[in-house]
Amino acid sequence: MHDHNTSPTLAPHIKAHNEPLAGKVWLVGAGPGDPELLTLKALRILRECTLWLVDDLVSEGILALATPGTRIIKVGKRGGRKSSTPQPFILRLMARYARQGHTVARVKGGDPFIFGRGGEEIAWLQAREVAVDHVSGITAGLAVASALGLPLTHREVARGVTFVTAHTADGARPAWRALAQSGMTIVCYMGMRDPQTLVDELLQAGFSPTLPVAIVQHVSRPGQRHAFTTLAQTACTVRTHNLGSPAVIVLGEAVGFAGALAMSSVARSPAPITDSLRMTM
């Protein structure tokens, strides 16, 4: 006589069959724009992902590296722009597509954990039991060093470097006075909205008006533009050369060691994408 009850070995199989497909989210740092600055791990993960949620600052050169058939959804998010995709909507998209079984790449310009909301997004996904992992990228504040031959640290004048943002969710400002006394190189992100106010704050905090400054727009991209100036002349230089976002502002005595570049705005084109980057990992 046969037992018609489900066997113990079959029950787990039936349960697993009825469960939603288990996907995953990867937070991938795509670097500042030049595809050759993408890490090998980032390239491998990107080519394995079936769907990309792409930030506004990710370059077309990076998008060209996607595996044929990859679904790419642009979720542009730029501070101060009304057309920016709301962050809660992006979070829900990540969870939705992962639960549908996709391997999702949340592709971010620079590094996810340097002014990229990476910590917030990981915490949100983990709280909802969505598998998540991450790959670091080269942030613009580091790439600017090789782009201009500019040492961020120097044994004679700069024993450290600090990354700060001039745009915060709560309006709080960095500890400018402490940074003025530190003697470190300062790399300021998101400081182009109101450069004159930024300059005024720095001067009031004790930074020297003659402090060397580099302003670099579109770091590492074909349209990269930059200007060397002093702190007191920074806002004027931005207006004169029509510099804008995305850009970083580098302040410190180490800026004075930036190769043999002239104190003026110039164009610089990175090397073209090489065939080696298009290989299947």
Side-chain angles (χ1 to χ4, degrees):
M1 185 172 182
H2 294 288
D3 186 354
H4 293 287
N5 293 330
T6 303
S7 67
T9 58
L10 186 60
H13 175 75
I14 294 175
K15 180 179 179 181
H17 181 74
N18 292 332
E19 287 179 352
L21 295 173
K24 183 175 183 177
V25 175
W26 282 90
L27 306 186
V28 181
D34 181 358
E36 292 191 328
L37 294 179
L38 193 69
T39 68
L40 291 174
K41 182 173 183 178
L43 179 60
R44 176 177 63 81
I45 295 300
L46 287 174
R47 294 186 67 85
E48 292 174 356
C49 289
T50 56
L51 183 144
W52 294 12
L53 298 175
V54 181
D55 268 357
D56 193 40
L57 295 179
V58 176
S59 70
E60 291 298 321
I62 298 294
L63 299 182
L65 300 173
T67 301
T70 301
R71 185 178 179 186
I72 296 177
I73 302 174
K74 294 187 177 182
V75 287
K77 190 163 189 62
R78 296 282 293 278
R81 290 192 180 182
K82 294 182 180 180
S83 59
S84 291
T85 306
Q87 181 67 13
F89 181 70
I90 297 173
L91 292 170
R92 291 196 298 271
L93 283 181
M94 287 192 288
R96 177 194 305 170
Y97 286 121
R99 287 167 176 159
Q100 289 176 2
H102 284 283
T103 304
V104 180
R106 175 76 171 100
V107 191
K108 295 171 172 286
D111 184 284
F113 299 126
I114 299 180
F115 309 122
R117 301 183 186 231
E120 301 169 33
E121 292 182 352
I122 283 181
W124 191 92
L125 291 166
Q126 289 178 335
R128 288 153 183 81
E129 299 184 340
V130 176
V132 59
D133 210 333
H134 45 83
V135 183
S136 293
I138 297 177
T139 183
L142 290 178
V144 70
S146 58
L148 298 184
L150 188 161
L152 295 176
T153 63
H154 194 287
R155 289 191 299 171
E156 297 178 9
V157 296
R159 294 173 176 82
V161 59
T162 300
F163 295 159
V164 299
T165 176
H167 176 72
T168 58
D170 59 2
R173 311 302 288 169
W176 291 131
R177 192 169 298 278
L179 290 172
Q181 300 298 318
S182 70
M184 292 192 290
T185 302
I186 310 298
V187 180
C188 184
Y189 292 68
M190 293 173 273
M192 301 297 283
R193 178 182 296 182
D194 188 354
Q196 187 59 62
T197 296
L198 176 62
V199 168
D200 292 342
E201 290 181 357
L202 294 176
L203 292 174
Q204 292 171 9
F207 284 88
S208 168
T210 60
L211 187 69
V213 171
I215 309 156
V216 193
Q217 181 180 9
H218 296 305
V219 177
S220 84
R221 297 176 183 237
Q224 176 180 299
R225 300 173 64 238
H226 67 269
F228 289 104
T229 186
T230 62
L231 178 56
Q233 294 298 315
T234 294
C236 179
T237 301
V238 169
R239 292 192 299 270
T240 299
H241 296 291
N242 195 29
L243 295 166
S245 297
V248 292
I249 302 173
V250 188
L251 311 97
E253 297 297 338
V255 174
F257 289 85
L261 296 172
M263 298 282 284
S264 62
S265 178
V266 298
R268 179 186 177 98
S269 297
I273 304 172
T274 63
D275 290 337
S276 62
L277 271 178
R278 298 186 182 279
M279 63 185 176
T280 301
M281 299 299 290

